[in-house]
Amino acid sequence: MTAPAIRDDLRPWQQALRAQFPIVTAHPELAYLDSAATAQKPQAVLDAVQRYLTTSNANAARGTYTWANRTTELVERTRERVARFLGDRQPERSAVHFTSGTSEGLRTIARDWLPGFLRDGDEIVVPDADHQANIAPWREAQRLLAREGTHIRVVPMPYQSGSGDYDHRALAERAGPRTRFVATTHVHHVYGGDMNVQRIRRAVGPDAVICLDAAQSVGHLPVSVAELDVDFVVFSGHKALALPGSGAVWARQERGPAFTPGGWSGTPNTVGIASLEAALDWLDAAGPERVEEWTVALAARLTEGLRRLDAYEVLGCPLSLAADSTVQRRQGIVTLRHRAIDSGDLGFILFSHGFMVRSDHHCQGDAGEKTGSVRVSLHVYNTVEEIDRLLSVLASLE
């Protein structure tokens, strides 16, 4: 069987984009396959950081001189940029707050917003097989509320056996009139699947608040809050081509009280915000739809090759492995195990061949995988040749 075809018209586009990543082009002998952990940065982002630090570096909203005014304008302009990038058609009704990333954003919602929304006897849904960042804050909120005399019930998100997908039918049966808040994930960081958020809304009804962990979707595929009926979207800038320590919470401001982070608002990460604005500009110019098409095609090529290698188990929906599968494709994330080689050892072996992958438990919750695995995560700078070379090395280890 031949390998899945990649659209020929996308190859020149991808080559031109790959050339804009200095760390990638400086090391042609290496294949960076860990973009779900952090993405590499294009030259436009690096230039924006250098330009900001050498022309306008100052604190925001704390001065009246030119550099301070420019920085304040940058922060406000990037709030608008985030809303526009997320397809917000009513930005005057929503809010954007900057954070250090997804983890802090989710904690801020759990700490500063959720307690004022819930009442004694309410229920929240928590996805215990997703990333710990989307589990621990809600469990902690439950404990904090209990100390104050407000007792809420945590309903574990149900999953389909063997695929890692949410079980939306079971969720509809578990949800009730006291189900007030649902924590969910857009793209799963281990299984690579789109978790079908629209079905979550149908399962829990029109009144429940839905908080979306978009760490693996923003910057990797189109994300439209106009189409996703969710109340919060939280993402990390460093996974979307910006600098580490940057991220945002988008809040719809319709169900429940307005979202306002508590405490004193200190100095924002202005250089991270400058990098985020540049990254979103770069992604818009590249085309999120084409970025998604490229990474999904590479993932399909990898899973098609892996399903013919008996030594490997691919985590997630087994029906999505074949290139001609009619089920939903994986969003640029493929996680696997060798049936005889420890995942940590496999990671070292792959690096000796020039492949940089993640090999551990991937910060998954207690209801997730009990054994470590190797995760291959892709972005627009990855190539067909890298996937084919990886498959060749994996085949030699059978």
Side-chain angles (χ1 to χ4, degrees):
M1 182 182 296
T2 59
I6 306 291
R7 270 179 47 189
D8 288 337
D9 61 314
L10 285 182
R11 289 178 183 262
W13 165 84
Q14 188 272 337
Q15 290 170 359
L17 295 186
R18 176 182 167 88
Q20 298 177 39
F21 290 83
I23 194 171
V24 173
T25 57
H27 300 281
E29 76 284 4
L30 298 175
Y32 182 76
L33 303 174
D34 197 20
S35 293
T38 196
Q40 299 303 334
K41 320 307 175 192
Q43 188 65 52
V45 170
L46 303 178
D47 289 344
V49 169
Q50 179 76 3
R51 184 167 56 251
Y52 170 73
L53 289 175
T54 56
T55 64
S56 304
N57 182 37
N59 212 328
R62 287 168 171 80
T64 57
Y65 52 91
T66 303
W67 295 355
N69 291 338
R70 287 177 186 167
T71 299
T72 302
E73 291 169 3
L74 165 71
V75 172
E76 295 310 312
R77 186 174 68 239
T78 308
R79 291 189 204 278
E80 297 172 1
R81 189 69 185 88
V82 169
R84 191 164 69 253
F85 188 79
L86 295 178
D88 186 353
R89 297 173 184 168
Q90 297 179 304
E92 70 281 357
R93 299 177 61 180
S94 61
V96 173
H97 296 274
F98 294 114
T99 70
S100 65
T102 304
S103 295
E104 185 196 354
L106 295 171
R107 282 199 306 268
T108 301
I109 296 168
R111 180 188 63 229
D112 298 338
W113 183 87
L114 193 63
F117 176 65
L118 297 176
R119 299 292 180 265
D120 196 66
D122 284 344
E123 299 176 347
I124 64 174
V125 178
V126 175
D128 287 333
D130 290 8
H131 197 286
Q132 285 281 6
N134 202 16
I135 302 169
W138 319 121
R139 297 283 183 176
E140 179 64 19
Q142 180 191 29
R143 290 191 291 271
L144 292 175
L145 283 166
R147 292 175 193 168
E148 299 173 359
T150 300
H151 299 278
I152 64 172
R153 177 171 174 255
V154 171
V155 177
M157 176 74 76
Y159 293 83
Q160 296 179 18
S161 176
S163 72
D165 295 328
Y166 296 148
D167 188 333
H168 302 92
R169 292 182 180 178
L171 177 60
E173 294 172 356
R174 295 186 188 184
R178 299 305 299 270
T179 304
R180 304 261 292 163
F181 180 87
V182 181
T184 184
T185 299
H186 199 180
V187 172
H188 200 279
H189 73 293
V190 175
Y191 306 121
D194 184 318
M195 303 301 279
N196 293 299
V197 181
Q198 291 91 339
R199 295 183 185 176
I200 296 286
R201 172 58 68 196
R202 292 197 293 270
V204 301
D207 299 324
V209 168
I210 298 178
C211 178
L212 185 66
D213 174 351
Q216 301 298 343
S217 56
V218 172
H220 300 260
L221 64 150
V223 178
S224 171
V225 296
E227 298 174 5
L228 298 171
D229 189 8
V230 298
D231 302 275
F232 294 100
V233 172
V234 190
F235 69 95
S236 299
H238 74 98
K239 298 179 191 289
L241 310 183
L243 291 186
S246 62
V249 173
W250 173 90
R252 187 179 293 277
Q253 311 285 59
E254 289 185 5
R255 300 177 180 93
F259 171 65
T260 303
W264 177 255
S265 178
T267 300
N269 178 7
T270 53
V271 68
I273 292 170
S275 76
L276 182 58
E277 179 187 41
L280 299 184
D281 286 345
W282 190 93
L283 286 162
D284 258 347
E289 297 84 0
R290 286 182 292 178
V291 172
E292 178 188 23
E293 184 172 356
W294 182 260
T295 57
V296 167
L298 291 185
R301 193 178 187 94
L302 178 56
T303 55
E304 170 68 19
L306 284 168
R307 80 186 186 105
R308 291 178 276 139
L309 300 178
D310 293 337
Y312 297 91
E313 170 195 8
V314 180
L315 307 187
C317 179
L319 299 178
S320 68
L321 300 182
D324 58 356
S325 172
T326 58
V327 305
Q328 184 170 262
R329 299 297 334 164
R330 293 164 190 255
Q331 296 287 337
I333 295 175
V334 179
T335 305
L336 59 110
R337 293 194 191 100
H338 193 287
R339 301 188 191 280
I341 302 174
D342 176 79
S343 296
D345 293 338
L346 181 58
F348 280 115
I349 293 170
L350 290 177
F351 181 64
S352 72
H353 290 275
F355 299 102
M356 293 178 279
V357 298
R358 175 83 173 262
S359 52
D360 57 18
H361 288 81
H362 317 295
C363 304
Q364 196 172 7
D366 292 341
E369 303 291 329
K370 307 303 181 187
T371 306
S373 54
V374 168
R375 183 179 68 186
V376 175
S377 51
L378 308 162
H379 217 303
V380 70
Y381 35 74
N382 293 120
T383 66
V384 174
E385 292 71 25
E386 288 173 341
I387 297 302
D388 290 348
R389 187 161 61 88
L390 175 62
L391 283 169
S392 177
V393 171
L394 292 172
S396 72
L397 301 174
E398 275 210 291

